Amino acid sequence: MRTTLKTLILSAALLPALGLTSCSSLEDGSYVEPITQYEKIGGTWVLNSITQVDETSSRSMPLTDQFDFQSFSISLNTDADNEPTTFAITGNAPALLPTSGTWRLDNPFVNSDGSSAIITLDGGQRLTVTAVPGASSALEFKLTRTSNGNPFVSYVYNLIPANNSSDTEE
């Protein structure tokens, strides 16, 4: 009798709990494509700063206010599916990069090994992405010049979206 009474009390306590969990109307939402690097990098960017780095001594020199670099702008265009198409560079800054052509990333998503993304421009010019828009709106990439496979100088471009050019970040 005692066992039956315990079973009856336990059943009475668990029965409402089963009723609460059996019917769930929670909507998990629909599938959304993951955000690609192209969505973050695509667009028109203006120069916030540029720094020349001597790769042999690690000394750096700001070039932002020299050689008309402040006029530098790059448009990294994408199609309706956020796939890369063309790029165009405008301004009177020294031509360190090709002024137009096509572009692509080595991987449309963040590299799982933590390595930097690489932007490849027409002709094989490679730019190492050192900062991607996220918490900050800045895009930063580095152009490295080499001689016999050894880097000797690099240029670090810090860019902001063209529509944010009035409130520059430093």
Side-chain angles (χ1 to χ4, degrees), residues 24 30 39 102 104 122 128:
S24 175
S30 58
E39 290 177 73
T102 59
R104 63 180 170 79
D122 266 353
T128 304

Side-chain angles (χ1 to χ4, degrees), residues 6-157:
K6 283 184 181 178
T7 305
L8 186 60
I9 292 173
L10 185 62
S11 296
L14 292 178
L15 193 58
L18 286 174
L20 293 174
T21 61
S22 63
C23 299
S24 175
S25 62
L26 179 64
E27 174 59 43
D28 290 338
S30 58
Y31 174 76
V32 177
E33 291 286 331
I35 296 173
T36 67
Q37 297 280 48
Y38 294 123
E39 290 177 73
K40 292 182 174 188
I41 293 175
T44 301
W45 300 89
V46 294
L47 191 73
N48 187 34
S49 66
I50 183 168
T51 305
Q52 179 181 337
V53 179
D54 181 338
E55 293 291 335
T56 59
S57 69
S58 297
R59 290 186 297 182
S60 63
M61 178 173 69
L63 298 177
T64 309
D65 296 327
Q66 300 178 29
F67 309 111
D68 207 15
F69 271 108
Q70 289 182 334
S71 67
F72 179 90
S73 173
I74 184 169
S75 294
L76 298 168
N77 302 311
T78 58
D79 62 17
D81 296 323
N82 285 315
E83 292 294 321
T85 57
T86 59
F87 75 91
I89 294 177
T90 58
N92 298 318
L96 299 174
L97 303 168
T99 56
S100 64
T102 59
W103 72 285
R104 63 180 170 79
L105 286 168
D106 57 341
N107 185 357
F109 300 101
V110 174
N111 294 327
S112 61
D113 63 0
S115 62
S116 297
I118 303 293
I119 298 174
T120 304
L121 305 178
D122 266 353
Q125 183 77 62
R126 296 169 57 87
L127 307 172
T128 304
V129 178
T130 54
V132 177
S136 165
S137 62
L139 167 64
E140 191 171 270
F141 60 77
K142 180 165 100 171
L143 166 66
T144 303
R145 300 281 191 200
T146 61
S147 176
N148 297 325
N150 298 315
F152 65 91
V153 67
S154 63
Y155 300 90
V156 180
Y157 290 77

